[in-house]
Amino acid sequence: MSTPVRVIGFIAALATVFGITLAAGQAFGPVNTTPANASGGSGTGEAAGHGHGGSSEPTASGEKAEGGDAHAASLPGGLQVSQDGYSLRLAHDTLAAGPKTRLDFVVEGPDGRPVTAYEVEHEKELHLIAVRRDFSGFQHVHPTRAADGTWSTDLALTPGTWRVFADTAPSGAEPLTLGADVSVAGDYQPVAAPTGDVRTATVDDYTVTLKGDLAPGSDSDLTLSVSRGGQPVTDLDPYLGAFGHLVALRSGDLAYLHVHPTGEPGDGTTKPGPDITFGTSVPSAGTYRLFLDFQHEGVVRTAAFKLTAGEPIGGSNGHGH
């Protein structure tokens, strides 16, 4: 992959699901009012964070993929545990809380066997995003794969319900993002959603500011600027082939989108900071939580934001989860 970046407050059912198409540097795509029918396990729905379209609709390149579910092509990413014959199978759907809790899983292919061959996208075969359903504890990790197709990684987990997203491309298949829930035992302490939009985040001694707005059905740019001690950071490290990675999650259903910035390191025009610009087009009004991964001096940090697109439910800006 040249660039990647994919929470128990509540579990809201989708009444209407909106479609996504994504090319490099673009986020959510056209509105689609087809009702969602859940497919399997803990999730309900799917679409691509990296231009992951379903297999019977046109892909980001305009080609029609073969042999898949036309309905799945229109669903937002990470809501389905199964798509196009591929399924995310967790070894355990209940885990212990702790700073290093092991998660084991496989991606099963259409033949029912664990997949052992993957395409490398954004420098990795698989990107795993984990976040508690109240949007706390966001993690973007890269599990290791055993010869039998079992993926393993350590996660820092607190009590509650977590969503895990496997963003990957099995060899010979379209890229896809599969999602499943994990219950973590213990005394659950929910994290309240911030009031209103959050456009400034502080991580260690770094400050990241976000400019731009999300407009349902319209393309727009989001620019995130990184500073340290009041000075712009102009020497960001390339991280998985980019200077930043942005994941967007829609409140209510955790529809997943992995957005990529415009340009890339070494292209002769993209500067290593302080600004990282992402092209976006969200499918619906509502609240979105955004997580930016950036690397500087060898350390990856995550900055979290909250934006409202259009009028939120109830008409009060930013009071959703």
Side-chain angles (χ1 to χ4, degrees), residues 30-102:
V31 172
N32 183 314
T33 55
T34 304
N37 294 317
S39 175
S42 310
T44 54
E46 163 62 28
H50 303 296
H52 300 183
S55 60
S56 59
E57 291 292 324
T59 65
S61 64
E63 297 178 355
K64 186 176 180 179
E66 299 296 333
D69 182 353
H71 179 64
S74 66
L75 299 180
L79 295 174
Q80 288 189 149
V81 72
S82 298
Q83 180 190 330
D84 301 341
Y86 293 89
S87 298
L88 174 61
R89 304 297 187 199
L90 305 181
H92 305 282
D93 57 13
T94 300
L95 296 174
K100 292 185 67 175
T101 298
R102 178 164 170 154

Side-chain angles (χ1 to χ4, degrees), residues 211-290:
K211 295 181 180 179
D213 296 295
L214 297 175
S218 299
D219 292 339
S220 59
D221 287 339
L222 299 180
T223 299
L224 295 107
S225 300
V226 183
S227 63
R228 185 184 192 185
Q231 299 300 314
V233 175
T234 59
D235 59 347
L236 290 171
D237 300 335
Y239 172 57
L240 300 172
F243 290 123
H245 306 279
L246 188 66
V247 167
L249 299 172
R250 184 168 57 185
S251 293
D253 59 9
L254 273 69
Y256 170 92
L257 178 71
H258 196 155
V259 191
H260 300 303
T262 57
E264 60 184 21
D267 62 9
T269 58
T270 303
K271 297 180 179 179
D275 296 341
I276 315 166
T277 299
F278 300 84
T280 64
S281 180
V282 297
S284 66
T287 303
Y288 294 81
R289 305 294 284 270
L290 300 94

Side-chain angles (χ1 to χ4, degrees), residues 59-144:
T59 65
S61 64
E63 297 178 355
K64 186 176 180 179
E66 299 296 333
D69 182 353
H71 179 64
S74 66
L75 299 180
L79 295 174
Q80 288 189 149
V81 72
S82 298
Q83 180 190 330
D84 301 341
Y86 293 89
S87 298
L88 174 61
R89 304 297 187 199
L90 305 181
H92 305 282
D93 57 13
T94 300
L95 296 174
K100 292 185 67 175
T101 298
R102 178 164 170 154
L103 174 74
D104 296 316
F105 64 93
V106 299
V107 177
E108 287 184 356
D111 60 0
R113 299 177 180 178
V115 176
T116 58
Y118 293 83
E119 301 297 331
V120 174
E121 291 202 334
H122 309 285
E123 301 186 1
K124 298 292 181 179
E125 288 186 340
L126 186 144
H127 298 257
L128 188 82
I129 303 298
V131 66
R132 206 169 70 169
R133 278 193 170 265
D134 60 1
F135 296 103
S136 64
F138 178 91
Q139 294 160 75
H140 171 192
V141 297
H142 303 105
T144 57

